[in-house]
């Protein structure tokens, strides 16, 4: 969440920057400032009351020594009144702080000044492209869901029977391809300096709040209500929460982690041809990269993470483009996001396979993730994360783009992991 200092230093600037995200900030920012004033006024009232109590307590002792018992009793009554004033001021402070926190949780992160203006995905800025566009010939123009059925790789109907739509069953070489991609992505991430961790796939409410999934996205998360736990939508949530309520040393940064997890998303309201097959699932596999860094280095780290994801799609020989998201398409918590899309030859459209984001101090303030700076003291970290990569649409593009009349060709970089060079 934003810090009070960010808001008080330049409230109008905050309102104008949030307008890039099409968030009407005037009322919540005014309410936050009002609650902060209420809290500070109550703090002054409490401090004054405590100071008066201290003076009166000294006078009571002097009166008692002098035998002026009646005057001492009067002073005691004044002290009791002051204690009640202190108690009321403390309660006002508590209520103001809680109200202010709830208001802050409802305000999104400030977009970076370089975020393009725009209202939807159509306004995103393409900053790079790469790879050769595939050219399918003859009968080899099937979408991945038909290829999956033809080669017995993925059973979507069986997943419906067992659980429901959006929970596919991978079989034979389809399951092997999943495992191969997971290991390939993890090996590449660890080689790039990201430490592998294996986190829980359920998190508590505090973890969801820490990374911004709650209270903003609770409708998109699967909730185990009896235990008040949430199935993770991405490994970003548990991995970043490793550093909740932690003070790091400056020389520890950046801390870079990678994790494979299944991910769970309700995707409420999703329907139509754009969600067919692997295009949009409720359960899917993903390898995530997460960085905790200093504010003066986090943008360099973002470039490093983008380069890492780029290297993955290039090794998989997939045509790609990189988009800088506009304000209207930027997430609640992000300051800057770059999306990676790969081209799906049979569907003839681009599929998003990764988002790489810098959250600056927004998540860190929720998490109380800080580091000790030799000059500035204890300071909020910056947090970053990216998909490296999400499997479903990668698999869709691999199957479609590499189909031939003789079978589906496996990219060279992946063959040591699959153990086969063709699906036939």
């Amino acid at each position: 969440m934003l810090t009070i200092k960010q808001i008080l230093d330049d409230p109008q600037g905050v309102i104008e920057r949030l307008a890039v995200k099409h968030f009407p900030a005037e009322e919540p920012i005014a309410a936050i400032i009002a609650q902060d004033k209420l809290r500070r006024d109550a703090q002054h009232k409490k401090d004054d009351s405590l100071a008066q109590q201290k003076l009166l307590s000294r006078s009571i002792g002097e009166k008692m020594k002098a035998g002026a018992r009646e005057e001492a009793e009067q002073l005691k009554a004044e002290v009791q009144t002051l204690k009640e004033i202190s108690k009321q001021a403390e309660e006002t402070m508590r209520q103001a702080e809680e109200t202010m926190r709830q208001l802050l949780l409802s305000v999104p992160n400030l977009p970076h000044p370089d975020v393009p203006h725009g209202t939807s995905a159509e306004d995103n800025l393409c900053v790079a492209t790469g790879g050769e566009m595939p050219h399918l010939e003859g009968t080899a123009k099937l979408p991945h869901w038909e290829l999956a059925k033809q080669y017995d790789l993925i059973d979507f109907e069986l997943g419906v029977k067992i659980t429901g739509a959006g929970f596919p069953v991978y079989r034979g070489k389809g399951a092997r391809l999943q495992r191969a991609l997971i290991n390939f992505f993890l090996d590449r991430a660890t080689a790039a300096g990201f430490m592998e961790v294996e986190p829980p796939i359920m998190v508590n409410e505090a973890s969801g709040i820490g990374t911004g999934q709650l209270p903003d996205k609770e409708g998109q998360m699967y909730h185990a209500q009896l235990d008040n736990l949430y199935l993770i939508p991405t490994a970003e949530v548990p991995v970043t929460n490793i550093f909740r309520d932690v003070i790091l040393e400056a020389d520890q940064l950046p801390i870079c982690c990678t994790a494979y997890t299944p991910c769970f998303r309700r995707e409420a309201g999703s329907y139509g041809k754009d969600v067919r097959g692997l295009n949009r699932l409720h359960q899917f596999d993903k390898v995530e990269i997460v960085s905790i860094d200093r504010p003066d280095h986090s943008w360099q780290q973002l470039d490093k993470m983008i380069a890492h994801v780029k290297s993955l799609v290039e090794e998989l020989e997939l045509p790609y483009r990189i988009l800088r998201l506009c304000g209207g398409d930027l997430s609640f918590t992000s300051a800057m996001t770059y999306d990676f899309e790969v081209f799906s030859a049979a569907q003839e459209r681009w599929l998003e396979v990764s988002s790489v984001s810098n959250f600056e101090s927004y998540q860190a303030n929720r998490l109380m993730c800080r580091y000790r700076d030799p000059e500035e003291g204890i300071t909020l970290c910056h947090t970053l994360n990216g998909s490296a990569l999400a499997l479903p649409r990668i698999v869709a593009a691999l199957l479609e783009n590499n189909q031939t009349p003789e079978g589906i060709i496996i990219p060279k970089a992946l063959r040591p992991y699959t153990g086969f060079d063709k699906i036939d």
Side-chain angles (χ1 to χ4, degrees):
M1 60 188 173
L2 301 181
T3 64
I4 291 296
K5 186 177 187 304
Q6 283 177 294
I7 293 171
L8 294 181
D9 282 353
D10 186 11
Q12 188 56 39
V14 168
I15 291 168
E16 290 173 0
R17 287 178 67 186
L18 287 175
V20 175
K21 282 190 171 182
H22 304 278
F23 181 80
E26 292 87 350
E27 288 188 15
I29 294 302
I32 289 166
I33 292 171
Q35 290 298 318
D36 181 62
K37 184 178 185 305
L38 182 62
R39 180 192 63 80
R40 287 186 287 108
D41 288 346
Q43 178 71 66
H44 291 319
K45 192 172 185 179
K46 178 184 175 182
D47 292 344
D48 289 345
S49 176
L50 291 173
Q52 291 181 55
Q53 289 177 53
K54 187 175 181 180
L55 289 173
L56 289 175
S57 295
R58 187 180 300 121
S59 296
I60 289 169
E62 293 171 355
K63 295 293 183 185
M64 293 294 286
K65 285 180 182 178
R69 183 174 295 274
E70 186 175 340
E71 292 180 28
E73 292 299 326
Q74 289 177 353
L75 293 177
K76 286 182 180 180
E78 290 182 35
V79 168
Q80 194 59 40
T81 300
L82 289 169
K83 285 182 178 180
E84 186 61 33
I85 291 171
S86 295
K87 183 179 178 181
Q88 291 174 358
E90 190 168 343
E91 178 61 19
T92 298
M93 286 169 56
R94 187 193 66 77
Q95 291 179 0
E97 286 170 355
E98 178 58 27
T99 301
M100 188 164 56
R101 176 173 172 76
Q102 293 306 315
L103 287 166
L104 285 167
L105 289 174
S106 73
V107 175
N109 195 8
L110 301 179
H112 188 274
D114 289 343
V115 168
H117 289 252
T119 58
S120 66
E122 286 69 31
D123 300 312
N124 293 336
L125 179 65
C126 183
V127 297
T129 59
E132 293 185 16
M133 297 295 283
H135 300 285
L136 303 183
E137 298 180 358
T139 59
K141 294 182 179 180
L142 297 177
H144 68 271
W145 53 86
E146 292 188 24
L147 291 167
K149 186 174 183 178
Q150 176 180 328
Y151 293 102
D152 195 21
L153 304 174
I154 308 168
D155 195 325
F156 294 100
E157 289 74 20
L158 186 56
V160 172
K161 171 188 172 182
I162 297 170
T163 308
F167 295 88
V169 175
Y170 299 87
R171 303 162 61 104
K173 286 187 175 180
R176 184 67 178 267
L177 180 59
Q178 289 286 114
R179 181 154 53 91
L181 283 166
I182 291 166
N183 289 334
F184 172 71
F185 294 149
L186 285 174
D187 283 354
R188 292 300 187 270
T190 54
F194 293 86
M195 180 184 69
E196 184 178 351
V197 297
E198 185 176 345
I201 61 171
M202 299 184 80
V203 294
N204 55 31
E205 190 174 285
S207 293
I209 291 172
T211 46
Q213 278 67 34
L214 299 175
D216 179 52
K217 298 184 181 70
E218 64 268 33
Q220 292 295 330
M221 298 173 71
Y222 286 100
H223 187 196
Q225 295 184 359
L226 187 62
D227 298 303
N228 196 28
L229 296 175
Y230 294 84
L231 288 166
I232 62 168
T234 166
E236 167 203 346
V237 182
V239 174
T240 310
N241 270 278
I242 291 171
F243 306 98
R244 173 156 49 95
D245 297 322
V246 170
I247 299 176
L248 302 162
E249 299 301 329
D251 60 8
Q252 292 179 267
L253 302 175
I255 294 176
C256 304
C257 298
T258 186
Y260 153 71
T261 63
C263 304
F264 305 87
R265 298 182 186 179
R266 292 187 62 242
E267 300 290 4
S270 298
Y271 59 90
K273 65 179 179 65
D274 290 346
V275 303
R276 192 168 182 184
L278 296 172
N279 288 338
R280 196 175 296 275
L281 300 177
H282 295 304
Q283 178 182 329
F284 61 94
D285 293 319
K286 181 157 69 81
V287 172
E288 191 81 357
I289 51 175
V290 171
S291 295
I292 312 295
D293 209 345
R294 305 186 310 274
D296 63 354
H297 186 260
S298 69
W299 293 100
Q300 292 173 253
Q301 185 65 13
L302 180 67
D303 290 340
K304 175 184 174 182
M305 294 167 70
I306 291 168
H308 175 69
V309 177
K310 178 183 172 184
S311 72
L312 297 177
V313 292
E314 287 179 339
E315 281 200 83
L316 292 176
E317 303 170 39
L318 292 170
Y320 66 89
R321 64 182 185 182
I322 306 173
L323 306 175
R324 185 188 299 161
L325 298 194
C326 71
D329 205 27
L330 203 60
S331 76
F332 187 88
T333 51
S334 176
M336 175 80 81
T337 295
Y338 289 87
D339 273 4
F340 280 75
E341 297 180 340
V342 297
F343 191 72
S344 168
Q347 297 179 75
E348 297 182 338
R349 67 191 189 96
W350 293 94
L351 303 176
E352 179 197 331
V353 294
S354 175
S355 290
V356 186
S357 303
N358 189 344
F359 304 99
E360 295 190 321
S361 63
Y362 188 85
Q363 286 183 332
N365 191 33
R366 288 173 172 239
L367 295 159
M368 283 291 97
C369 173
R370 296 161 291 173
Y371 75 101
R372 190 174 283 104
D373 185 277
E375 296 180 359
E376 298 182 14
I378 295 175
T379 305
L380 288 171
C381 296
H382 278 192
T383 64
L384 308 92
N385 82 274
S387 310
L389 287 159
L391 270 66
R393 295 171 191 163
I394 288 289
V395 171
L398 286 175
L399 296 180
E400 293 182 12
N401 295 5
N402 297 311
Q403 60 181 301
T404 71
E406 292 75 37
I408 300 168
I409 306 302
I410 299 298
K412 291 180 181 178
L414 206 54
R415 292 175 189 175
Y417 294 88
T418 59
F420 51 84
D421 58 12
K422 186 170 66 172
I423 297 172
D424 52 17

